[in-house]
């Protein structure tokens, strides 16, 4: 049974200019406080749906460390809010919670760069958008160009982007610029159900629907010249973002383990206010099985974005080869290189300092991005001294941002920050208030090429359905849990 809680702004203590805390005394079953990163307006937005109530419910999970963290792009999810972070002790009574990681395991963003400039691609932009739409399958349940056998799918689940490298869909430097270097350890295909595998086997290299997209962007502002140069970014440059995850495979993994945990939770004596928070002790057989299955889904997503990268490279070559012959350092300017790839729905085993000691925790990030600071483990050598790149997509017609992780994110938020703009309007309401064909015309009038298979699907993702991404990013920047590097705006959008 879900617990109903009325939460008001005055229930919070303001502990920093952009940090608000709901003490654990707010409700008798809370084990830790809830901390929200927001300005006044974004806090009001968060209180407009059930997301803060969901964070309070999440604060009842066993073994939580420090507090449940809520990012400024928060909105209501299933059980655990989208835009939430929770760390549980892996060596004590901590749990692992599939709903606190999300259905789309390793939904994430990949940023690709080129050496093309906005003015030189203008005559070919419509052709590029059409090529991307043709080469990158999108939509609900769509099949990709790379069907795999059951045996080969198991390899994908273990090897992630390394499988794509062996198959010719990746370059070695792509893996270096991917979180976990494109492969989550510990994956065991035997922990994924046949139903999950059946849903995933034909979906490699597909975008999906909903808020997933491919976007061609222009870098319009650079805030940190040194960091931008390190990442190969400069003003006026053309980039591409991919936003997608583990497709039906990851969704089925989450569904299967929520059902399994619900069948066994009574034996561990765990009581929860919302069954969508269903969990199991981290060190239990069920908890460890989920961890191994989740790693499979994460690896599927890394491989999926890698295959899409291959098709994006094909599209740029098809569009520009023989038309734009300029080179830089002997490389065609239309050649696509990888800046970074990072997840925002994932559970990670990490060490963090808590009360002066190092603690091994399972960090659940659902709609929140890992944002490790300079010198942290797991960063590629060429980014190690600047910190982890963080990719924050906006909504169609609005800006996206490249950020960096900071020492502040390591100290305050388990090395985490926001993941996007965050919804303020449900999909159903957006479809009632926005006509997809009208929105398409409006975007094209702004100079944004749109290719979409579904007008109702396009309406669901209208900019008015989202918070102001500039405001969200300013909060995490000023709160010190990420810092701004560059701002991008869309010039072409590909959706299912």
């Amino acid at each position: 049974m879900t617990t109903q809680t009325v939460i008001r702004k005055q229930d919070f203590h303001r502990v920093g200019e952009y940090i608000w805390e709901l003490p654990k005394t707010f409700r008798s079953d809370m084990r830790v406080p809830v901390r929200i990163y927001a300005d006044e307006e974004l806090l009001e937005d968060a209180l407009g749906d059930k997301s803060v109530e969901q964070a309070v419910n999440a604060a009842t999970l066993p073994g939580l460390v420090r507090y449940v963290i809520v990012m400024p792009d928060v909105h209501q999810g299933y059980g655990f809010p989208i835009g939430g972070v929770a760390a549980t002790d892996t060596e004590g009574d901590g749990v692992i919670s599939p709903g606190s990681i999300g259905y789309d395991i390793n939904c994430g963003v990949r940023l690709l760069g080129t050496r093309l400039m906005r003015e030189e691609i203008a005559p070919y932009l419509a052709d590029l958008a059409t090529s991307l739409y043709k080469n990158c399958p999108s939509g609900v349940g769509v099949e990709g160009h790379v069907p795999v056998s059951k045996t080969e799918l198991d390899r994908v689940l273990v090897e992630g982007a390394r499988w794509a490298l062996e198959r010719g869909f990746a370059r070695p430097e792509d893996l270096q610029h991917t979180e976990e270097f494109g492969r989550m350890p510990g994956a065991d295909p035997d922990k994924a159900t046949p139903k999950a595998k059946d849903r995933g086997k034909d979906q490699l290299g597909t975008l999906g629907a909903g808020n997933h997209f491919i976007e061609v962007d222009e870098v319009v502002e650079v805030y940190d010249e040194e960091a931008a140069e390190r990442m190969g970014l400069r003003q006026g440059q053309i980039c591409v973002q991919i936003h997608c995850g583990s497709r039906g495979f990851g969704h089925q993994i989450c569904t299967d383990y929520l059902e399994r945990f619900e069948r066994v939770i009574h034996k561990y004596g765990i009581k929860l206010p919302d069954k969508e928070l269903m969990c199991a002790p981290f060190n239990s057989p069920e908890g460890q099985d989920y961890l191994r299955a989740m790693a499979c889904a994460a690896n599927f997503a890394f491989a999926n974005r890698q295959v899409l990268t291959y098709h994006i490279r094909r599209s740029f070559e098809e569009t520009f080869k023989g038309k734009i012959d300029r080179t830089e350092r002997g490389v065609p300017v239309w050649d696509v290189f990888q800046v970074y790839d990072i997840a925002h729905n994932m559970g990670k085993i990490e060490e963090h300092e808590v009360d002066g000691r190092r603690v091994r925790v399972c960090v659940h990030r659902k709609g929140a991005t890992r944002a490790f600071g300079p010198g942290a483990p797991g960063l590629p050598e060429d980014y190690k001294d600047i910190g982890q790149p963080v990719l924050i997509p906006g909504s169609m017609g609005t800006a996206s941002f490249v950020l960096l992780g900071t020492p502040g994110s390591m100290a305050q938020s388990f090395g985490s920050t926001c993941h996007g703009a965050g919804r303020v309007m449900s999909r159903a309401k957006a479809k009632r208030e926005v006509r997809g064909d009208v929105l398409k015309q409006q975007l094209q009038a702004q100079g944004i090429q749109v290719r979409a298979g579904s007008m109702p699907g396009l309406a669901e993702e209208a900019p008015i359905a989202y918070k102001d991404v500039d405001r969200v990013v300013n909060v995490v920047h000023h709160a010190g849990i990420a810092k701004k590097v560059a701002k991008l705006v869309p010039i072409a959008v590909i959706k299912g």
Side-chain angles (χ1 to χ4, degrees):
M1 180 69 71
T2 302
T3 299
Q4 297 285 322
T5 307
V6 176
I7 305 169
R8 303 159 303 170
K9 186 176 176 182
Q10 54 264 41
D11 294 321
F12 289 88
H13 301 152
R14 194 166 195 167
V15 297
E17 187 177 359
Y18 297 100
I19 308 173
W20 311 73
E21 184 166 295
L22 198 63
K24 70 176 183 177
T25 54
F26 174 75
R27 209 172 75 188
S28 61
D29 56 347
M30 290 172 66
R31 298 172 189 263
V32 294
V34 170
R35 280 203 166 182
I36 298 184
Y37 284 82
D39 60 21
E40 301 249 5
E41 182 178 317
L42 289 168
L43 179 62
E44 295 283 359
D45 285 343
L47 293 169
D49 63 16
K50 293 184 178 179
S51 55
V52 180
E53 180 183 329
Q54 289 181 331
V56 170
N57 289 340
T60 69
L61 289 167
L64 286 166
V65 174
R66 198 183 283 170
Y67 28 67
V68 169
I69 299 165
V70 177
M71 294 298 170
D73 54 331
V74 69
H75 54 287
Q76 184 176 329
Y78 293 101
F80 194 87
I82 299 166
V85 179
T88 54
D89 186 355
T90 63
E91 293 165 3
D93 62 348
V95 296
I96 190 165
S97 168
S100 305
I101 290 163
Y103 282 89
D104 193 0
I105 297 164
N106 191 5
C107 185
V109 184
R110 177 171 293 208
L111 179 64
L112 306 169
T114 73
R115 295 161 186 86
L116 289 162
M117 304 303 280
R118 169 72 184 266
E119 62 274 9
E120 65 188 325
I121 76 160
Y124 313 108
L125 184 58
D127 292 341
L128 176 62
T130 299
S131 182
L132 288 167
Y133 186 68
K134 177 190 73 176
N135 289 333
C136 302
S138 60
V140 177
V142 71
E143 293 184 2
H145 301 311
V146 193
V148 292
S149 67
K150 290 181 179 179
T151 302
E152 190 151 20
L153 178 61
D154 282 356
R155 288 190 59 210
V156 173
L157 303 183
V158 171
E159 296 171 13
R162 293 184 191 177
W163 169 87
L165 180 64
E166 290 173 9
R167 286 287 304 268
F169 294 115
R171 301 172 182 174
E173 57 268 29
D174 296 343
L175 275 61
Q176 288 302 307
H177 284 178
T178 301
E179 185 178 1
E180 297 292 343
F181 304 105
R183 178 183 179 271
M184 278 280 282
D188 182 350
D190 290 341
K191 304 307 179 186
T193 63
K195 186 173 183 181
K197 291 181 182 181
D198 190 58
R199 290 186 67 181
K201 65 182 173 60
D202 296 322
Q203 291 189 329
L204 266 181
T206 64
L207 192 59
N211 65 347
H212 296 156
F213 62 79
I214 291 171
E215 193 172 276
V216 182
D217 295 306
E218 177 191 2
V219 178
V220 294
E221 207 162 344
V222 172
Y223 307 100
D224 185 328
E225 291 281 355
E226 182 183 350
E229 185 178 350
R230 188 74 63 84
M231 290 186 248
L233 301 175
R234 59 188 174 184
Q235 194 154 332
Q237 169 192 9
I238 296 304
C239 295
V240 182
Q241 289 185 90
I242 309 170
H243 175 217
C244 66
S246 50
R247 305 289 283 111
F249 179 81
H251 193 285
Q252 193 62 47
I253 292 292
C254 185
T255 299
D256 291 339
Y257 277 88
L258 282 172
E259 292 174 355
R260 182 177 171 189
F261 286 8
E262 189 171 8
R263 292 194 297 269
V264 302
I265 194 170
H266 64 277
K267 77 178 182 181
Y268 296 113
I270 298 171
K271 291 186 168 64
L272 297 168
D274 186 345
K275 71 175 185 177
E276 288 281 357
L277 290 172
M278 205 56 59
C279 61
F282 179 82
N283 291 310
S284 67
E286 297 86 1
Q288 289 296 299
D289 284 355
Y290 169 73
L291 189 67
R292 295 182 181 107
M294 184 207 71
C296 289
N299 290 336
F300 185 97
F302 284 136
N304 187 39
R305 291 197 289 273
Q306 189 62 61
V307 174
L308 285 167
T309 298
Y310 172 82
H311 292 313
I312 288 167
R313 285 176 170 141
R314 281 179 53 211
S315 299
F316 271 74
E317 183 170 358
E318 285 175 5
T319 305
F320 298 115
K321 189 173 183 180
K323 297 172 186 167
I324 298 177
D325 296 323
R326 188 167 63 85
T327 63
E328 288 189 13
R329 298 179 183 175
V331 178
V333 291
W334 44 260
D335 183 66
V336 176
F337 62 89
Q338 183 157 313
V339 178
Y340 203 61
D341 179 301
I342 194 164
H344 52 233
N345 281 2
M346 193 85 93
K348 290 287 192 72
I349 312 309
E350 300 170 0
E351 278 196 3
H352 289 277
E353 189 167 311
V354 179
D355 299 327
R357 64 188 182 96
R358 300 294 292 177
V359 179
R360 184 172 176 266
V361 291
C362 178
V363 183
H364 301 66
R365 297 184 181 96
K366 180 180 177 182
T369 312
R370 198 185 212 186
F372 277 10
L379 300 185
E381 282 303 315
D382 51 346
Y383 295 159
K384 194 169 275 289
D385 62 330
I386 62 171
Q388 186 164 33
V390 176
L391 309 174
I392 307 297
S395 58
M396 293 181 299
T398 68
S400 298
F401 287 85
V402 180
L403 312 178
L404 281 175
T406 63
S409 62
M410 303 305 285
Q412 298 180 52
S413 57
F414 299 105
S416 311
T417 195
C418 62
H419 89 303
R423 296 192 76 94
V424 286
M425 186 185 292
S426 71
R427 297 182 188 281
K429 186 177 180 183
K431 282 196 288 189
R432 288 195 301 270
E433 297 199 4
V434 179
R435 281 184 51 183
D437 56 343
V438 173
L439 174 61
K440 182 177 180 180
Q441 290 171 8
Q442 291 170 341
L443 292 169
Q444 301 213 150
Q446 294 175 42
I448 302 170
Q449 291 286 327
V450 178
R451 301 291 183 271
S454 163
M455 289 301 106
L458 192 68
E460 287 179 1
E461 298 304 312
I464 65 167
Y466 285 85
K467 300 176 187 181
D468 179 351
V469 69
D470 290 80
R471 194 174 196 116
V472 167
V473 166
N474 282 335
V475 166
V476 298
H477 177 79
H478 290 299
I481 58 171
K483 70 172 183 175
K484 294 195 286 188
V485 174
K487 181 176 184 176
L488 296 70
V489 297
I491 59 174
V493 177
I494 315 303
K495 295 189 71 68

